[in-house]
Amino acid sequence: MTRTLASRRSSRRLAADAGLLAVAAAFCLPLAWVLLSSVDSHADLRVKAPDGLTLDNFDAILTDDITFTPLLNSLILCGGATLLTVVCAALAAYPLSRFRSRLNRPFLLTILFATSLPITAIMVPVYALFVQVDLIDTMQGTIFFFAASQLPFAIWLMKNFMDGVPKELEEAAWTDGASSLQSLIRIVLPLMGPGVAVVTVFSFVMMWGNFFVPFMLLLTPDQMPASVSINEFFGNRGMVAYGQLAAFSIVYSTPVILLYVLISRRLGGGFALGGAVKG
C-alpha cells in the first residue's frame, strides 16, 4: 500500500514537472527566436542557430525614423500617462481607504466594471468626442485617454496597498497639525513604496504595449509610438523583415526591462509596519 501511494505521488510529480517544462518551453521559444533572429542575416520563422553572427539588423533599425523618434514618442506618452495615473489613483484611493461611506462599495464595483469594458467598444465614441474637443492627433489627448483607461484598476491596486498602512500614524500627524494631503504625501505614500512601484510598473507596461489606442487617436506619422511603428516591418504580400523585426523587438523591450530593474528593490520590499504602532 505504501509503495502504491509513493508511486502515485512520483507519477503525479513527474506529470507536474512535464507540464511546467512544457509551459516554460512555450515562453522560452519565442524569446529564443527573438534573440537568435536579431543576429541572423537570413532569419525566418524557424528557431535556428544563425548562419553567421551579424549586427546588420541593428544597424538597419537604429535610425531616427525607425527607432529613436518612435521610442521617444512612446516614452512621452507612457511616462506622462503613468505619472498622471499614479497621482490620480493615489488621490482617489485615499478617501476610499480612510473614510467609510455607503458609496464606497458601489463606487469600487463601478470602476471594477469599467476595467472589463473592451477598448474596441468605446473607441468610436471616444474618437467622436476627441474630434469635438479638438484633441484628436495630439499627444496630450492620447495621454489623457491612456491614463483614464488604466485608472480604474490602478485605484483598486492603490487602495489595497493603502489599507495596509495603519491609520494611527496619520492620526499622530494630524495631532501635530498636518493636513490630510500632507499626511498622504509624507506618511502614507512613503510607507507604501512597494505598492506605488507595482502600480507604476503595471500601468507603464500596459500602456507601452498598447497598439490600438495611439493607432486610432494619432494621425501624424511623426507622433506615432514604437508600438505602432513596429507594424512597418510587415511589408506587402506577406514579406516580413524578420531579422530587423527581432532586433527592433529587443530595443523596444529595453525601457520596460530597465524600469523593472530600477524599481525591483521596491517591488521586493514589504511594509513591515508592525513595530511602527505601539499597542
Side-chain angles (χ1 to χ4, degrees):
M1 186 66 178
T2 304
R3 293 181 179 179
T4 303
L5 292 176
S7 61
R8 288 180 180 177
R9 292 177 181 176
S10 179
S11 60
R12 290 176 181 176
R13 186 175 301 172
L14 290 175
D17 292 341
L20 291 175
L21 288 175
V23 173
F27 281 95
C28 291
L29 284 178
L31 295 177
W33 179 86
V34 170
L35 294 175
L36 295 175
S37 297
S38 64
V39 293
D40 189 356
S41 58
H42 303 287
D44 52 27
L45 287 175
R46 296 174 298 171
V47 179
K48 62 183 181 66
D51 299 333
L53 296 180
T54 179
L55 295 179
D56 292 342
N57 294 323
F58 288 95
D59 291 337
I61 67 163
L62 292 179
T63 63
D64 291 338
D65 295 337
I66 297 177
T67 300
F68 297 127
T69 299
L71 279 180
L72 178 61
N73 294 335
S74 292
L75 290 173
I76 294 174
L77 289 174
C78 300
T82 299
L83 177 62
L84 185 60
T85 299
V86 172
V87 172
C88 293
L91 294 176
Y94 182 74
L96 293 172
S97 175
R98 290 299 184 257
F99 304 105
R100 296 293 177 260
S101 172
R102 294 181 179 179
L103 299 178
N104 282 11
R105 182 174 177 80
F107 178 77
L108 288 172
L109 292 177
T110 301
I111 63 176
L112 180 63
F113 171 75
T115 62
S116 64
L117 293 175
I119 197 70
T120 53
I122 62 176
M123 279 309 300
V124 173
V126 166
Y127 186 89
L129 175 64
F130 273 41
V131 171
Q132 293 293 326
V133 298
D134 199 24
L135 283 177
I136 200 71
D137 196 27
T138 61
M139 299 287 281
Q140 61 269 25
T142 308
I143 289 175
F144 289 150
F145 184 78
F146 264 148
S149 63
Q150 294 299 321
L151 193 57
F153 198 74
I155 293 175
W156 266 88
L157 286 177
M158 193 74 75
K159 177 188 178 299
N160 290 333
F161 284 110
M162 202 170 288
D163 289 342
V165 180
K167 190 176 180 179
E168 289 80 1
L169 298 176
E170 292 181 83
E171 292 175 347
W174 295 339
T175 303
D176 293 335
S179 64
S180 297
L181 182 60
Q182 289 175 331
S183 65
L184 171 64
I185 296 175
R186 298 180 180 180
I187 297 177
V188 178
L189 290 180
L191 290 175
M192 54 173 291
V196 176
V198 169
V199 175
T200 300
V201 172
F202 178 83
S203 301
F204 187 86
V205 170
M206 295 300 292
M207 298 172 192
W208 187 260
N210 195 307
F211 168 85
F212 190 66
V213 171
F215 180 75
M216 292 293 296
L217 299 181
L218 296 175
L219 306 177
T220 305
D222 292 340
Q223 293 183 336
M224 292 296 179
S227 59
V228 178
S229 66
I230 195 173
N231 190 50
E232 299 296 327
F233 293 101
F234 297 89
N236 297 326
R237 300 179 181 180
M239 299 297 294
V240 183
Y242 291 108
Q244 296 180 19
L245 176 62
F248 185 85
S249 299
I250 293 177
V251 177
Y252 176 55
S253 304
T254 302
V256 176
I257 297 174
L258 290 177
L259 175 65
Y260 177 78
V261 170
L262 289 175
I263 66 175
S264 59
R265 295 180 180 177
R266 305 297 304 269
L267 286 172
F271 294 106
L273 297 178
V277 182
K278 296 183 179 179

